[in-house]
């Protein structure tokens, strides 16, 4: 969803992108237009406004003055004016950072970790005891067979040595 070639993003276009960021296709409808405090904070963090210029506490206080869970673009401009006035930040500088921060994206906070300790802990060849029984030689899990003792249900206890010999004696 980037701007077409040569076209600069505007505050309005960025507002639309960040207001629907994280919503499913069904949730992002014209009736749900508006940005939440959470999405506004994500936008501010991506633009480098939080924590350098303002804090999430500042944004929360200014957002709560509007007494809405979602605000439209007109109210968002008032919100920016309030933050700029409260924190004594030039409004144009704040808008410039928000416009030029790029499309909404994740910061790879949940990226898989690989390294020393993780490698040692996930190497099934080093497992001992009962845990070793849960994996085959290749390291692939055995599923339920590796987690539970499978019982024959033949009426004998596990330690009985003369299994099947009852009919021979009688």
């Amino acid at each position: 969803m980037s701007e077409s070639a040569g076209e600069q993003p505007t505050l309005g276009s960025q507002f639309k992108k960040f207001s629907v960021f994280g919503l499913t296709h069904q949730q992002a409808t014209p009736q749900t237009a508006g940005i939440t405090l959470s999405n506004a904070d994500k936008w501010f963090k991506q633009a480098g406004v939080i924590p350098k210029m303002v804090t999430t506490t500042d944004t929360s206080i200014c957002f709560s003055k509007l007494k809405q869970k979602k605000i439209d673009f007109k109210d968002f401009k008032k919100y920016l004016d309030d933050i700029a006035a409260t924190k004594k930040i030039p409004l144009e500088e704040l808008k410039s950072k928000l416009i030029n921060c790029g499309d909404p994206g994740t910061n790879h906070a949940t990226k898989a970790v690989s390294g020393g300790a993780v490698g040692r802990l996930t190497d099934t060849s080093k497992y001992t005891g009962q845990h070793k029984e849960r994996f085959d030689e290749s390291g692939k899990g055995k599923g339920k067979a590796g987690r539970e003792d499978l019982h024959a249900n033949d009426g004998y206890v596990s330690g009985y040595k003369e299994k099947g010999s009852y009919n021979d004696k009688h």
Side-chain angles (χ1 to χ4, degrees), residues 34-81:
I35 194 165
T36 61
L37 174 62
S38 174
N39 278 14
D41 283 351
K42 287 175 189 170
W43 188 5
F44 280 38
K45 285 176 186 170
Q46 186 169 321
V49 176
I50 293 176
K52 294 175 185 159
M53 298 175 154
V54 294
T55 65
T56 53
T57 305
D58 300 325
T59 60
S60 181
I61 290 168
C62 292
F63 202 92
S64 66
K65 291 177 186 175
L66 299 170
K67 295 182 173 45
Q68 297 174 45
K69 290 191 185 269
K70 281 187 171 186
I71 56 174
D72 59 14
F73 187 61
K74 187 178 89 174
D75 286 334
F76 183 73
K77 287 182 186 176
K78 292 178 192 173
Y79 171 66
L80 288 180
D81 290 339

Side-chain angles (χ1 to χ4, degrees), residues 4-166:
S4 51
E7 193 176 319
Q8 290 287 65
T10 64
L11 189 62
S13 67
Q14 290 289 78
F15 176 83
K16 287 178 186 171
K17 291 175 187 176
F18 277 91
S19 62
V20 296
F21 182 62
L23 298 178
T24 63
H25 182 67
Q26 290 83 14
Q27 293 171 323
T29 63
Q31 293 81 14
T32 61
I35 194 165
T36 61
L37 174 62
S38 174
N39 278 14
D41 283 351
K42 287 175 189 170
W43 188 5
F44 280 38
K45 285 176 186 170
Q46 186 169 321
V49 176
I50 293 176
K52 294 175 185 159
M53 298 175 154
V54 294
T55 65
T56 53
T57 305
D58 300 325
T59 60
S60 181
I61 290 168
C62 292
F63 202 92
S64 66
K65 291 177 186 175
L66 299 170
K67 295 182 173 45
Q68 297 174 45
K69 290 191 185 269
K70 281 187 171 186
I71 56 174
D72 59 14
F73 187 61
K74 187 178 89 174
D75 286 334
F76 183 73
K77 287 182 186 176
K78 292 178 192 173
Y79 171 66
L80 288 180
D81 290 339
D82 191 21
I83 289 174
T86 303
K87 297 303 286 182
K88 297 178 180 58
I89 303 169
L91 181 61
E92 290 308 313
E93 182 184 347
L94 182 60
K95 285 182 179 180
S96 173
K97 284 184 175 284
L98 294 174
I99 291 169
N100 297 315
C101 71
D103 288 349
T106 59
N107 62 358
H108 305 290
T110 57
K111 189 167 35 171
V113 177
S114 61
V118 175
R120 285 192 307 276
L121 292 171
T122 57
D123 185 0
T124 57
S125 67
K126 294 186 176 24
Y127 288 0
T128 60
Q130 188 170 357
H131 302 294
K132 173 172 57 177
E133 304 300 323
R134 295 178 50 213
F135 301 91
D136 62 14
E137 297 77 35
S138 68
K140 186 174 183 333
K142 293 181 182 177
K144 188 174 183 180
R147 291 190 305 271
E148 296 179 358
D149 291 332
L150 301 177
H151 301 289
N153 290 332
D154 56 3
Y156 291 97
V157 294
S158 60
Y160 188 67
K161 297 198 182 345
E162 297 179 32
K163 183 176 179 179
S165 62
Y166 178 78

